[in-house]
Amino acid sequence: MHAPFDDTPRHVLTPSSLNRLVRDLLGDALPQVWIEGELSNVAKPASGHLYFTLKDSSAQVRCAMFKLKASALRFRPIDGMQVLLRAKVGLYEPRGEFQLVAEYMEPAGEGALQREFEQLKARLNAEGLFEPGRKRTLPRYARRIGVITSATGAAVRDVLSVLARRWPLADVEVLPVPVQGREAPPAIVAMLNKASISGRYDVLLLTRGGGSLEDLWAFNDEAVARAIHASAVPVVSAVGHEIDFSIADFVADLRAPTPSAAAELLVPDAVAVDRHLQQLQQRMLTLQQRQLQAHAQRVDHLLARLQTQRPQARLQRDRERLLHLQRRLTAVLREQSQLRHVRLERLHARLMAQHPRARLPLLARRLAEQDQRLRRALAHVLERRQTRLRHAGHALHAVSPLATLERGYAILLDVEGKVVRSVRDAAIDMKLRARLADGELALRVDANGSESPRD
């Protein structure tokens, strides 16, 4: 049987070139993916590579993780485990099988916890709970230490052993709390608040032994972090192993890599302190001896200077000088006293010449003369003003309306006191007042316009 005739050029592929082409297409389209599923058929041969199948309820895909990446895993993958992968999509060319080449793997639940951890860490850091400036310095010699941890764990035994060995003077109290499970965070918060309010402790140690991220999750709780931040007492955090970090570590005033290391940071080494005290004592004794020797030398030097300078002769010279100065001072004081006495007598004579008793008769005569002149001036002024007042009265009376009224004239006023100057200003029955020289008359305008006295 022959193929139908076709003029189209044929591009013929081999299985190898086809698989290579498909591999390249997959790598370009999906360079890296995150995928979550369940492990099955997990195998790790002598080569160190890891082979497994990742599946869900309706599909599966074969996966490979090469030795370099597989050796970095912090857990042992087993069948049935739910994991999260970061992988490249590819094709296994020899068999033409679709597969994923995994570069990173973590348990799916732990990955979710890790993401939650990072989100809380970023939020609390933005609020300033991790600021180095707010962290307090631990007391150098803590007298009372509160250890918040499980009463039955290995961590508390390590802490108590180190504290007792290094600094027996410290009073250590174990404040028991659960350190794992749902009941742990509220119990830790309550104990932190109680210890802070009590005022009994110089420092608090929040600690537990190692474990998985899920085991340590109580120390990644937001309420625990805020209780550490609000504590009135410095808090040291020592959670898990050296590679483990919790939110409590970032908020605490000091983070220790292990519970034992925290105990060593909390108290000094008694042996080292004793050795240091002995060194200080020896230095103090040496310093005292040196000071005593220096003082003794200084006393000897001063004694030699004293003997050289013959203080008795200097005292005699100073005594004679003092007597001479005393005689000079007495003479100066006597001379100044005499000068002041002469001046005082002169001032007394001048004062007596100006005494008020000598000036009183002259002042009395001057006062009598001024009084007479004042009386004559007042009489003259009063006479002149009375004359001017009489002349002004005559002139005012000549132009006064009252003088006109005395000649028989009258002034008409309306009820408001305004002057009526024309008959047009007076209406019928209008009440008027006539102002005469010796009084007033009440008037009313009658119907024919004639005026008649009001009854």
Side-chain angles (χ1 to χ4, degrees):
M1 182 176 180
H2 298 284
F5 180 76
D6 189 357
D7 292 336
T8 304
R10 298 180 179 182
H11 183 65
V12 180
L13 299 173
T14 63
S16 298
S17 60
L18 176 61
N19 287 349
R20 192 160 45 250
L21 177 61
V22 173
R23 181 200 65 187
D24 294 340
L25 290 173
L26 288 173
D28 292 339
L30 298 170
Q32 192 177 79
V33 296
W34 285 91
I35 183 169
E36 184 176 342
E38 180 183 338
L39 293 177
S40 66
N41 301 321
V42 178
K44 190 174 184 180
S47 63
H49 305 320
L50 185 66
Y51 300 99
F52 54 92
T53 300
L54 193 67
K55 65 180 183 178
D56 57 16
S57 59
S58 56
Q60 65 181 18
V61 60
R62 293 189 60 80
C63 305
M65 192 174 203
F66 296 119
K67 180 179 179 180
L68 183 61
K69 303 293 184 181
S71 61
L73 292 177
R74 296 178 59 185
F75 68 98
R76 187 170 67 88
I78 59 176
D79 290 350
M81 179 180 290
Q82 194 79 9
V83 296
L84 179 67
L85 294 183
R86 185 182 72 234
K88 295 181 179 179
V89 180
L91 188 77
Y92 184 55
E93 296 177 45
R95 295 183 182 176
E97 293 181 353
F98 170 69
Q99 72 171 8
L100 299 178
V101 179
E103 294 187 343
Y104 173 78
M105 180 192 305
E106 66 181 29
E110 185 171 335
L113 290 178
Q114 186 65 34
R115 288 191 294 274
E116 183 179 349
F117 172 86
E118 295 298 337
Q119 292 173 358
L120 179 59
K121 177 183 173 183
R123 180 155 52 85
L124 295 182
N125 187 34
E127 293 183 23
L129 269 68
F130 303 163
E131 285 294 330
R134 58 155 293 275
K135 296 185 183 296
R136 294 161 292 190
T137 304
L138 302 185
R140 187 172 182 180
Y141 301 102
R143 293 179 298 177
R144 184 175 287 112
I145 302 172
V147 182
I148 302 176
T149 188
S150 170
T152 59
V156 68
R157 293 195 297 271
D158 293 343
V159 168
L160 294 179
S161 174
V162 173
L163 292 177
R165 172 174 53 83
R166 286 178 61 85
W167 195 248
L169 298 177
D171 184 7
V172 183
E173 295 184 14
V174 177
L175 308 177
V177 293
V179 294
Q180 187 172 334
R182 293 183 178 179
E183 71 278 6
I188 294 173
V189 170
M191 188 59 75
L192 280 168
N193 293 336
K194 181 179 178 181
S196 175
I197 295 173
S198 69
R200 286 176 51 82
Y201 307 101
D202 299 324
V203 64
L204 297 174
L205 171 59
L206 181 63
T207 185
R208 67 148 288 160
S212 65
L213 180 60
E214 186 176 0
D215 294 337
L216 305 178
W217 195 248
F219 298 88
N220 295 321
D221 186 83
E222 181 176 357
V224 172
R226 295 193 181 279
I228 295 174
H229 181 263
S231 173
V233 183
V235 178
V236 177
S237 175
V239 179
H241 300 302
E242 186 172 356
I243 60 174
D244 297 319
F245 280 88
S246 66
I247 297 295
D249 293 333
F250 294 110
V251 184
D253 296 289
L254 179 67
R255 183 254 177 185
T258 62
S260 299
E264 293 182 357
L265 293 172
L266 280 173
V267 296
D269 184 1
V271 175
V273 172
D274 181 65
R275 187 183 308 113
H276 181 62
L277 289 175
Q278 291 179 3
Q279 293 173 353
L280 291 177
Q281 183 179 15
Q282 185 60 40
R283 287 177 59 188
M284 183 176 66
L285 291 175
T286 303
L287 181 61
Q288 287 178 345
Q289 290 177 356
R290 290 177 181 175
Q291 289 180 345
L292 288 174
Q293 292 173 357
H295 288 316
Q297 292 178 357
R298 186 178 180 186
V299 169
D300 292 341
H301 179 67
L302 293 175
L303 182 60
R305 288 183 59 190
L306 182 64
Q307 293 175 353
T308 302
Q309 294 180 2
R310 299 179 61 190
Q312 292 181 353
R314 291 187 61 185
L315 287 174
Q316 181 62 30
R317 290 195 300 271
D318 291 342
R319 186 181 298 109
E320 293 177 356
R321 184 181 178 189
L322 179 61
L323 292 173
H324 175 68
L325 293 175
Q326 185 176 5
R327 287 193 295 270
R328 286 184 59 188
L329 178 61
T330 303
V332 170
L333 291 176
R334 186 182 299 110
E335 182 179 358
Q336 290 183 351
S337 177
Q338 292 174 355
L339 292 175
R340 289 193 178 96
H341 181 70
V342 172
R343 185 179 179 186
L344 182 61
E345 289 180 349
R346 292 176 181 175
L347 292 174
H348 182 264
R350 290 177 59 187
L351 178 62
M352 294 304 296
Q354 299 293 331
H355 198 281
R357 286 197 298 264
R359 302 187 62 190
L360 283 176
L362 176 61
L363 293 175
R365 288 193 301 272
R366 293 178 61 183
L367 179 61
E369 292 175 359
Q370 295 292 337
D371 181 64
Q372 292 177 2
R373 292 177 61 187
L374 179 60
R375 291 177 182 276
R376 288 195 297 270
L378 286 175
H380 181 65
V381 169
L382 286 175
E383 183 178 357
R384 290 177 58 191
R385 292 189 178 182
Q386 286 176 356
T387 302
R388 290 176 60 186
L389 182 61
R390 285 194 299 271
H391 292 320
H394 293 318
L396 182 62
H397 184 72
V399 298
S400 174
L402 297 177
T404 304
L405 295 179
E406 289 178 354
R407 294 196 295 270
Y409 294 95
I411 299 174
L412 292 180
L413 305 172
D414 60 13
V415 293
E416 295 179 355
K418 296 181 180 179
V419 177
V420 179
R421 302 180 184 276
S422 173
V423 295
R424 291 189 297 272
D425 296 336
I428 298 174
D429 291 333
M430 182 177 179
K431 294 180 181 181
L432 301 174
R433 290 183 295 124
R435 174 71 181 273
L436 303 175
D438 56 352
E440 292 184 356
L441 292 176
L443 306 177
R444 179 173 58 83
V445 179
D446 61 11
N448 56 12
S450 61
E451 299 175 354
S452 61
R454 185 182 177 187
D455 296 336

